[in-house]
């Protein structure tokens, strides 16, 4: 039975579905088939082998069937000898006996047959019982096979699901593989490109290495040359320094030859609305070299009205001739004026104290000369902004030679012998009195207490300071009429130069002084309370201006006592006058005939100063 089921099982597996096992065989009408001998059964015909028990049972049935006689119906019945006549009772009896005999035989045979059949039935029943048992066993087996099949089915289903899952996974993996393959292709392409680039770079590198090698030898060569040039440079630096020192010496000599005290006369032009002076009132005779020679002389003709009224003759004129280091007629430009003094600015950078004054009556052009006209016209810029620009640019040039310069500016006003800071801002304005004091005990250097000393490094900073000073003065002007004309303004710039490599230092002040108006008070004026103040102011101004003259004289005459302390102005400028200092005085003259007396006074004062010679200057070198 097991063997018979095996192929079925195998088939089930092969088909992928469980085929129902045909169990009808055991249900068939075994008895009827056995009772009707119809030849061999399907089980006997088929090649299939049945179990050993089934085979024995069926075999024995068949054997019995063969052994069993055929049915009497099928056996030919002895033909009756026709119908006996009713009368033939003997014949009929004979026939009936015959027939009975036949029937008896037949019954006997049937009994035998019945017996045989009974046996067969018994056998068949036994067989049926055996087959029932077998069937039960088979059904049990079938049930277990079904369970197995169901389990297998479940497993199969699980496996199918897994297969599907795996197929899906496989699909994703395949996609991934495709993508990776694509990526791989791209990377391969990239790799190729990179390899090409690498080759190119390697080629370049080789070329660069070759160039480097040749450059290195060139560098060695250049280093040698540089070393030689450094030596040469050092030598030339030394030479340059020597030359710079020589230049300074010669420059100073030149300035000394020109005079340590120089006086320039500047005549301002006639302004709009002013009367034109009579021709010949002011003359500017040429120098010996003709018109190309810069004028150094000035003639002023004054008509003596007093004498003419006495004699009633045409008023005689007296000519006053003056000679200065330079005379600037009315048309002279600010630029020309500055050109003449730029040499002094250089002297200040070289370490010589420099003092530039503007002297003259009010309205003669002192402020115009020193500061210029406010309004930003560069043509009209005065000496202070021009000097500053020159200083900064020369200092910049000299930095190439190893010099470092620093500048500190201050701007004060001396009015009625009191000092006021023109750079005061905010709360410092008018706070605390400014006094001139020694910077440190035992030091020669002077400083103004409560005044601002502002480090400057460019023109714009100086411009801002000048603007501030202008504003501070304007405030004062409202308080006291025209105070600016009645006070001295002193712009001081402390210049410090250092040549660190050679351990050289030079310090010098550059002073630009716009002096108070030099005019005297009209003696005919009646003295009201305002005039009294004016008189005091004038006396103070005259005293300080004459002190300036006396100081210059004393220095010129090499007197043992120089009256610096007689005025605040000379005291403040003490270190910039005399000795190693260079001084330049502008005498500003009005071109108007009405100002002739003041012009003469100014020119006389300036001439006296011009005659002074102050000893050989020494640079303030440390
Ligand atoms: P001060 O300072 O001596 O009192 P200012 O410098 O104020 O005199 O000059 C008086 C007037 O004359 C100002 O209006 C000024 O602009 C003008 N001025 C002075 N000098 C010149 C000059 N060289 N060229 C043109 N204008 C001048
Ligand atoms: Mg002025």
């Amino acid at each position: 039975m097991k063997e018979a089921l095996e192929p079925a099982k195998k088939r089930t597996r092969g088909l992928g579905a469980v085929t129902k096992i045909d169990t009808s065989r055991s249900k068939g009408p075994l008895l009827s088939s056995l009772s009707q001998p119809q030849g061999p059964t399907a089980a006997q015909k088929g090649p299939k082998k049945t179990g050993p028990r089934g085979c024995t049972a069926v075999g024995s049935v068949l054997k019995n069937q063969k052994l069993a006689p055929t049915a009497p119906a099928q056996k030919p019945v002895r033909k009756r000898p026709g119908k006996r006549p009713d009368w033939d009772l003997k014949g009929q009896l004979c026939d009936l006996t015959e027939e009975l005999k036949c029937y008896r035989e037949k019954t006997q045979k049937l009994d035998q047959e019945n017996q045989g059949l009974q046996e067969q039935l018994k056998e068949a029943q036994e067989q049926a019982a055996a087959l029932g048992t077998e069937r039960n066993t088979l059904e049990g087996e079938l049930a277990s096979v079904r369970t197995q099949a169901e389990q297998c089915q479940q497993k199969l289903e699980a496996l199918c699901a897994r297969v599907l899952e795996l197929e899906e996974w496989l699909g994703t993996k395949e996609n991934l593989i495709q993508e990776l393959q694509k990526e791989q292709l791209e990377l391969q392409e990239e790799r190729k490109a990179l390899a090409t680039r690498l080759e190119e770079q390697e080629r370049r590198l080789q070329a660069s290495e070759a160039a480097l090698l040749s450059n290195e030898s060139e560098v060695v060569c250049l280093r040698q040359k540089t070393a030689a040039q450094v030596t040469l440079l050092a030598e030339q630096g030394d030479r340059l320094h020597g030359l710079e020192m020589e230049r300074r010496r010669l420059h100073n000599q030149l300035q000394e030859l020109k005079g340590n005290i120089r006086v320039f006369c500047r005549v301002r032009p006639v302004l709009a609305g002013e009367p034109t002076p009579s021709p010949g009132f002011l003359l500017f005779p040429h120098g010996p070299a003709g018109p190309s020679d810069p004028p150094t002389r000035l003639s002023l003709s004054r008509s003596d009205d007093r004498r003419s009224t006495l004699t009633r003759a045409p008023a005689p004129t007296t000519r006053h001739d003056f000679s200065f280091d330079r005379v600037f007629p009315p048309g002279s430009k600010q630029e020309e004026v500055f050109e003449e003094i730029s040499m002094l600015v250089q002297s200040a950078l070289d370490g010589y104290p420099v003092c530039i004054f503007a002297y003259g009556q009010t309205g003669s052009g002192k402020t115009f000369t020193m500061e210029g006209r406010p309004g930003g016209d560069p043509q009209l810029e005065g000496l202070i902004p021009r000097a500053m620009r020159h200083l900064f640019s020369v200092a910049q040039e000299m930095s190439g030679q190893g010099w470092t310069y620093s500048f500190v500016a201050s701007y004060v006003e001396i009015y009625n012998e009191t000092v006021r800071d023109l750079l005061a801002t905010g709360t410092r304005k008018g706070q605390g009195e400014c006094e001139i004091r020694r910077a440190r005990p035992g030091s020669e250097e002077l400083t103004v207490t409560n005044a601002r000393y502002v480090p400057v490094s460019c023109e714009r900073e100086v411009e801002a300071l000048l603007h501030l000073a202008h504003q501070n003065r304007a405030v004062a002007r409202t308080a006291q009429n025209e105070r600016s004309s009645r006070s001295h303004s002193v712009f001081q710039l402390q210049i410090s130069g250092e040549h660190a490599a050679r351990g050289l230092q030079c310090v010098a002040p550059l002073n630009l002084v716009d002096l108070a108006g030099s005019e005297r008070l009209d003696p005919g004026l009646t003295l009201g309370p305002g005039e009294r103040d004016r008189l005091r102011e004038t006396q103070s101004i005259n005293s300080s201006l004459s002190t300036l003259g006396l100081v210059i004289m004393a220095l010129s005459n090499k007197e043992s006592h120089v009256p610096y302390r007689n005025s605040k102005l000379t005291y403040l400028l003490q270190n910039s006058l005399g000795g190693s200092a260079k001084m330049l005085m502008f005498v500003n003259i009005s071109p108007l005939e009405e100002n002739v007396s003041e012009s003469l006074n100014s020119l006389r004062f300036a001439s006296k100063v011009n005659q002074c010679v102050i000893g050989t200057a020494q640079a303030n070198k440390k």
Side-chain angles (χ1 to χ4, degrees):
M1 189 68 198
K2 265 184 189 172
E3 280 171 16
L5 279 172
E6 264 328 291
K9 264 189 196 174
K10 278 175 195 166
R11 264 202 313 280
T12 312
R13 274 181 207 143
L15 288 170
V18 180
T19 335
K20 298 270 177 189
I21 295 166
D22 189 8
T23 51
S24 58
R25 269 188 304 157
S26 55
K27 287 176 189 172
L30 193 60
L31 281 177
S32 65
S33 70
L34 288 173
S35 61
Q36 291 172 5
Q38 291 169 347
T41 59
Q44 282 167 321
K45 274 183 199 170
K48 282 180 193 170
K49 287 180 184 173
T50 51
R53 275 179 299 173
C55 194
T56 339
V58 174
S60 64
V61 170
L62 288 176
K63 222 188 320 177
N64 292 339
Q65 274 183 335
K66 276 177 196 169
L67 290 172
T70 49
Q74 287 171 341
K75 201 178 173 182
V77 181
R78 225 186 296 163
K79 241 177 175 179
R80 289 181 189 177
K83 209 165 170 182
R84 289 180 189 261
D86 291 334
W87 56 270
D88 196 0
L89 288 168
K90 205 180 172 183
Q92 277 179 9
L93 185 62
C94 198
D95 283 349
L96 283 170
T97 316
E98 197 69 28
E99 204 173 325
L100 182 69
K101 201 181 155 184
C102 242
Y103 275 114
R104 274 185 188 144
E105 278 171 16
K106 206 175 166 182
T107 309
Q108 206 178 348
K109 272 182 192 173
L110 280 173
D111 282 342
Q112 278 173 5
E113 204 175 316
N114 188 29
Q115 207 177 344
L117 281 172
Q118 289 280 344
E119 276 168 22
Q120 268 182 34
L121 179 66
K122 207 177 156 190
E123 262 178 54
Q125 276 172 344
E126 277 169 13
Q127 257 182 23
L131 282 171
T133 322
E134 195 181 323
R135 182 177 161 237
N136 284 342
T137 323
L138 283 173
E139 270 175 359
E141 275 176 18
L142 183 65
S144 81
V145 165
R146 269 190 188 144
T147 320
Q148 265 181 31
E150 268 168 22
Q151 282 172 355
C152 287
Q153 182 77 19
Q154 279 171 1
K155 269 189 196 168
L156 190 67
E157 275 169 13
L159 283 170
C160 281
R162 179 85 183 120
V163 165
L164 278 177
E165 208 177 278
L166 285 172
E167 272 172 358
E168 207 176 297
W169 182 80
L170 192 68
T172 12
K173 292 290 158 193
E174 272 170 359
N175 283 347
L176 198 70
I177 287 170
Q178 273 178 2
E179 273 173 28
L180 285 172
Q181 278 172 346
K182 226 164 92 185
E183 213 172 294
Q184 192 189 10
L185 276 176
E186 282 171 10
L187 285 171
Q188 276 172 352
E189 287 297 311
E190 211 173 299
R191 190 176 152 269
K192 262 189 210 165
L194 282 172
T196 326
R197 264 182 67 193
L198 187 69
E199 269 175 29
E200 175 67 17
Q201 300 279 5
E202 272 173 358
R203 232 177 294 131
R204 277 198 205 160
L205 186 70
Q206 278 172 1
S208 299
E209 274 172 358
L212 190 69
L213 270 177
S214 76
N215 281 348
E216 268 171 2
S217 56
E218 217 170 291
V219 165
V220 171
C221 190
L222 282 172
R223 274 206 184 120
Q224 285 168 354
K225 276 189 194 168
T226 310
Q229 278 180 352
V230 164
T231 323
L232 198 71
L233 208 64
E235 282 170 17
Q236 283 186 345
D238 288 346
R239 258 189 69 201
L240 195 67
H241 180 70
L243 286 172
E244 168 61 17
M245 289 298 132
E246 182 64 4
R247 182 202 62 75
R248 286 187 181 203
R249 195 182 62 77
L250 290 172
H251 179 84
N252 191 47
Q253 217 170 41
L254 180 70
Q255 298 311 308
E256 278 174 7
L257 286 171
K258 283 187 172 182
N260 273 347
I261 299 180
R262 258 176 281 172
V263 179
F264 291 175
C265 175
R266 186 179 193 186
V267 181
R268 76 156 169 86
V270 176
L271 304 175
E274 286 179 340
T276 317
S278 48
F281 168 61
L282 278 171
L283 292 172
F284 304 93
H286 299 304
S292 61
D293 217 9
T296 55
R297 290 185 295 152
L298 168 131
S299 298
L300 185 144
S301 299
R302 181 189 197 180
S303 58
D304 197 341
D305 292 336
R306 261 186 318 160
R307 272 169 64 189
S308 82
T309 40
L310 285 174
T311 57
R312 290 172 186 264
T317 53
T318 322
R319 206 177 126 157
H320 302 272
D321 292 326
F322 296 94
S323 174
F324 298 105
D325 293 289
R326 179 78 200 263
V327 172
F328 293 100
S332 307
K333 301 262 176 305
Q334 296 281 62
E335 197 183 341
E336 289 171 53
V337 177
F338 177 71
E339 246 173 57
E340 278 296 319
I341 69 139
S342 63
M343 298 296 247
L344 285 184
V345 173
Q346 181 65 58
S347 287
L349 278 169
D350 291 350
Y352 297 94
V354 174
C355 230
I356 300 172
F357 295 99
Y359 180 97
Q361 72 174 114
T362 300
S364 59
K366 297 184 295 298
T367 306
F368 183 85
T369 301
M370 280 303 184
E371 289 183 17
R373 192 181 287 164
D377 183 349
Q379 299 280 323
L380 299 180
E381 270 184 350
L383 294 184
I384 299 178
R386 283 171 196 270
M388 293 305 117
R389 192 177 314 135
H390 186 73
L391 273 174
F392 293 134
S393 87
V394 175
Q396 181 68 37
E397 277 170 29
M398 289 180 77
S399 68
Q401 291 177 33
W403 284 93
T404 323
Y405 280 94
S406 62
F407 308 93
V408 179
S410 67
Y411 206 175
V412 297
E413 171 184 78
I414 303 171
Y415 172 75
N416 263 349
E417 290 301 282
T418 53
V419 184
R420 196 170 78 98
D421 184 15
L422 287 178
L423 301 183
T425 50
T427 51
R428 290 182 67 154
K429 275 185 195 171
Q431 256 193 12
E433 221 170 277
C434 295
E435 286 297 335
I436 304 162
R437 295 256 186 279
R438 291 198 182 278
R440 286 167 297 278
S443 151
E444 289 282 294
E445 202 185 322
L446 293 172
T447 181
V448 178
T449 58
N450 291 323
R452 275 177 76 204
Y453 285 83
V454 186
V456 285
S457 55
C458 66
E459 294 158 59
R460 207 171 294 160
E461 287 170 3
V462 177
E463 261 171 42
L465 294 185
L466 292 182
H467 183 70
L468 177 64
H470 197 75
Q471 279 181 333
N472 281 341
R473 255 201 235 124
V475 172
R477 191 179 302 151
T478 49
Q480 285 183 332
N481 193 30
E482 280 306 318
R483 176 164 148 171
S484 68
S485 303
R486 319 295 301 153
S487 62
H488 311 298
S489 352
V490 185
F491 180 86
Q492 281 191 311
L493 190 79
Q494 196 65 33
I495 304 168
S496 311
E498 190 185 8
H499 195 299
R502 297 186 187 275
L504 293 173
Q505 277 185 328
C506 57
V507 181
L510 169 68
N511 303 278
L512 296 148
V513 188
D514 184 353
L515 292 167
S518 59
E519 64 275 7
R520 284 119 206 262
L521 204 64
D522 191 341
L525 270 178
T526 45
L527 294 178
E531 278 75 27
R532 251 184 242 124
D533 285 350
R534 196 69 189 263
L535 181 65
R536 215 178 55 241
E537 269 179 16
T538 311
Q539 280 167 347
S540 158
I541 294 164
N542 289 341
S543 143
S544 67
L545 288 176
S546 59
T547 305
L548 179 64
L550 288 172
V551 163
I552 295 168
M553 296 297 174
L555 287 167
S556 169
N557 299 335
K558 297 197 170 33
E559 286 171 20
S560 57
H561 175 70
V562 182
Y564 291 119
R565 292 218 172 212
N566 284 7
S567 81
K568 289 272 161 67
L569 178 70
T570 48
Y571 184 35
L572 180 62
L573 298 175
Q574 183 174 334
N575 295 325
S576 305
L577 297 170
S580 60
K582 312 225 170 299
M583 198 184 98
L584 174 78
M585 183 174 280
F586 274 95
V587 55
N588 289 90
I589 299 293
S590 155
L592 307 181
E593 281 185 279
E594 62 189 62
N595 297 132
V596 69
S597 320
E598 289 303 331
S599 299
L600 268 175
N601 279 334
S602 298
L603 289 166
R604 282 184 187 130
F605 176 84
S607 289
K608 270 195 217 158
V609 172
N610 200 31
Q611 282 155 20
C612 295
V613 179
I614 295 179
T616 311
Q618 290 295 314
N620 269 347
K621 284 182 199 145
K622 288 181 182 170

